[in-house]
Amino acid sequence: MNNISFKNCWMICACLLLALISSCKDDNDSDGTPVIHSVRVTNPEKVDSTFTEASRGQLIVIQGERLHNALEVYINDQNVGFNKNYNTSTHLIVTIPEELKLHGEDSNLKNEIRVVTNHGEASYGFHVLAPVPTITRYSVELTETPEGNMEVVPGQRLDLFGENFYEVERIYLTNINPEPLEGEEIPSVVEEYDMQSYDVTEQFTRIIVSMPATIIPEGFIVVECYSGKAYIPFSSRIPKPTITAISSDMPIPGTKVTIYGTNFLEITGIDINGEYTIPAEDLTISDEADKITFTLPSAPSSSGKLKIITGGGEAEIDFYPYENLVIDFDPTTSWWFSWGANEKTNETGANPPLLTSGNCYGVDGKVDNQWWYGVWNFGGINFPTVITDATLVKDIEVRFEFIATLDFQETKIKLRFWQDFEKDAFEPTDILTGDVAPTGKWITCFELFAISGRN
């Protein structure tokens, strides 16, 4: 019996030894080399939705093994902060910094996440995306061909202007619209011609290209980057102009008018509603050919189109839409003045407000917080018939011309049509620049109505 007991004792010791070895192995394994398996968002419902690329500013979860006791986290070789309270052996939460330098800005930076712990480090291939590229315009000096035409020729330099030209992968000329409009006819034969060479400037806002060996008369230049693509219409001759905005569609005569767009090249003049033309010598055109400034000599007598005439064609925009007028102090609309703080003023140059077309209403001096001061009431107003009864109030935009000859000092304006058509107090803001009540300058303001109990 004693022999049996002795043998059993050895067997028990062997089991304890094996258990001890196993325990030591587990402990060593928990402090072994860390590993990163994947990256996901913090939403627990999307735990299986992993990815290998994200944008700056995004909060991510790094998943793996033995990630505990993390000391540092690197993204694109840059040390980023993290909250150690959210660091476990399997997870680590990090926000990709907004200011993180991209691989596209410096190709020496590695596209990876690296976690350094007190027991080793782990790396994981990961791409921080640059913003999507945009093309605003291009510039090219046309070459005279043997036929006497001014055109873009093979190998010619062309400059593309825009933003976020990071990690450019391809630039080409094509006859296919990358984003065709509904019903747009698509050519049956696809043509794509790569640029012979290209060079991205240090600011990533311009690309200098050498045009392909084959030039198509009309098409699109496409820039493909890792984060997306951008394109712009192309013409081998002077491209057609476009108008994207105007500082005011009913500017005060005598004030500056600015037109924004593209391809304002070889301009011969601007036609004002078919009544008169402003010649090219009276226009100021930006070097980028995307802005025209001129002084409006007089208001047209009827509604129409402002038309820019260039060597590449014409572009037009609605101008002086009298049919939209609610009230005009000159006047051309029917209304009557009920009562208010100030009668109309009639100043034409020597005294403020300067550069008026004749009449305007205003408040002179400090406006006290009294219901009867700083208020104008007008009657007999006929609303434009172009706005139908079916138009939702939320879709109505009210515009007005405004000038502050003194510091506005955060004074606010309130508009009311009858009792329920009311706009909360607001500061008059330039429709294009966003400037609030600049002193001594006529601006066009707009507001959308928010009306209680009405659609």
Side-chain angles (χ1 to χ4, degrees):
M1 293 293 295
N2 289 337
N3 287 339
I4 295 175
S5 297
F6 184 76
K7 290 181 180 178
N8 286 342
C9 181
W10 273 107
M11 291 176 65
I12 292 170
C13 290
C15 289
L16 289 172
L17 181 61
L18 287 173
L20 180 62
I21 293 173
S22 176
S23 176
C24 291
K25 182 180 180 181
D26 289 342
D27 290 341
N28 290 336
D29 187 61
S30 66
D31 286 331
T33 303
V35 178
I36 300 175
H37 291 314
S38 60
V39 174
R40 65 171 176 85
V41 295
T42 55
N43 188 345
E45 295 181 359
K46 298 182 179 180
V47 65
D48 295 327
S49 299
T50 61
F51 45 83
T52 57
E53 54 189 34
S55 301
R56 288 182 291 196
Q58 188 167 340
L59 184 67
I60 61 174
V61 179
I62 302 171
Q63 300 183 126
E65 299 176 44
R66 298 176 290 280
L67 299 176
H68 59 286
N69 295 331
L71 303 175
E72 296 174 322
V73 177
Y74 292 86
I75 302 178
N76 287 14
D77 291 331
Q78 297 159 76
N79 195 332
V80 301
F82 67 97
N83 190 334
K84 293 187 177 182
N85 293 326
Y86 298 107
N87 175 208
T88 70
S89 62
T90 57
H91 297 85
L92 196 151
I93 299 178
V94 175
T95 298
I96 303 174
E98 291 282 1
E99 66 277 6
L100 188 82
K101 196 168 187 179
L102 303 169
H103 173 77
E105 298 173 273
D106 183 354
S107 59
N108 293 318
L109 299 175
K110 295 179 182 178
N111 282 320
E112 70 173 16
I113 295 174
R114 182 161 56 94
V115 176
V116 179
T117 72
N118 65 357
H119 49 277
E121 63 180 64
S123 298
Y124 183 76
F126 194 82
H127 205 126
V128 180
L129 297 173
V132 176
T134 60
I135 304 175
T136 55
R137 64 184 180 91
Y138 70 82
S139 175
V140 62
E141 292 187 9
L142 302 181
T143 300
E144 185 174 0
T145 66
E147 296 76 21
N149 299 321
M150 300 299 293
E151 298 180 357
V152 177
V153 298
Q156 187 166 359
R157 168 176 170 163
L158 181 145
D159 290 33
L160 292 167
F161 297 87
E163 293 182 342
N164 306 319
F165 294 139
Y166 299 109
E167 298 179 87
V168 176
E169 298 179 337
R170 187 188 180 201
I171 306 176
Y172 59 95
L173 181 62
T174 179
N175 64 330
I176 300 296
N177 186 346
E179 296 181 354
L181 301 174
E182 184 177 354
E184 180 179 345
E185 184 177 351
I186 300 176
S188 57
V189 178
V190 177
E191 297 181 67
E192 291 184 356
Y193 304 103
D194 286 276
M195 300 296 167
Q196 296 189 41
S197 64
Y198 62 83
D199 181 39
V200 182
T201 62
E202 291 182 359
Q203 293 77 28
F204 304 97
T205 57
R206 183 173 62 155
I207 307 176
I208 301 170
V209 306
S210 175
M211 294 299 289
T214 300
I215 305 293
I216 56 179
E218 303 284 339
F220 299 87
I221 296 176
V222 181
V223 176
E224 292 184 352
C225 299
Y226 183 90
S227 60
K229 67 180 178 181
Y231 65 93
I232 190 170
F234 167 81
S235 173
S236 62
R237 298 188 177 184
I238 300 175
K240 186 176 180 179
T242 63
I243 298 176
T244 57
I246 188 169
S247 56
S248 174
D249 56 2
M250 297 195 79
I252 301 296
T255 61
K256 296 286 186 181
V257 181
T258 303
I259 304 170
Y260 301 86
T262 61
N263 305 321
F264 296 148
L265 304 167
E266 296 192 14
I267 294 180
T268 58
I270 296 179
D271 179 87
I272 303 296
N273 293 16
E275 297 183 15
Y276 62 88
T277 300
I278 300 175
E281 55 265 27
D282 293 339
L283 307 175
T284 300
I285 305 168
S286 66
D287 293 338
E288 295 78 16
D290 60 357
K291 183 169 68 175
I292 305 173
T293 303
F294 65 92
T295 299
L296 184 70
S298 61
S301 60
S302 60
S303 303
K305 301 282 187 180
L306 179 151
K307 184 186 299 182
I308 299 175
I309 305 166
T310 76
E314 299 176 351
E316 60 183 26
I317 191 172
D318 291 336
F319 198 62
Y320 262 80
Y322 285 105
E323 63 275 11
N324 290 347
L325 272 177
V326 175
I327 187 169
D328 180 14
F329 299 134
D330 280 339
T332 59
T333 55
S334 175
W335 56 274
W336 46 268
F337 178 73
S338 175
W339 62 275
N342 293 73
E343 290 286 346
K344 63 183 179 181
T345 60
N346 191 342
E347 306 290 352
T348 56
N351 301 310
L354 308 178
L355 299 174
T356 76
S357 55
N359 302 319
C360 64
Y361 277 77
V363 172
D364 184 12
K366 182 179 178 181
V367 177
D368 293 323
N369 192 20
Q370 300 174 11
W371 71 270
W372 53 267
Y373 191 78
V375 176
W376 310 293
N377 282 269
F378 302 96
I381 296 175
N382 294 315
F383 275 86
T385 57
V386 293
I387 300 177
T388 66
D389 293 340
T391 305
L392 297 177
V393 174
K394 67 179 181 64
D395 295 330
I396 297 176
E397 179 180 295
V398 177
R399 295 187 181 186
F400 58 94
E401 302 299 310
F402 172 88
I403 188 172
T405 58
L406 300 173
D407 187 355
F408 207 59
Q409 294 182 345
E410 298 184 359
T411 303
K412 296 184 183 298
I413 292 176
K414 177 178 285 189
L415 296 177
R416 173 183 291 175
F417 292 93
W418 288 288
Q419 293 183 352
D420 52 358
F421 286 69
E422 183 172 303
K423 171 64 184 177
D424 293 335
F426 62 92
E427 295 177 316
T429 303
D430 192 311
I431 191 173
L432 279 181
T433 66
D435 295 336
V436 176
T439 304
K441 174 187 176 184
W442 281 99
I443 61 173
T444 297
C445 307
F446 86 99
E447 291 296 327
L448 298 175
F449 275 81
I451 301 170
S452 176
R454 297 292 296 269
N455 291 325

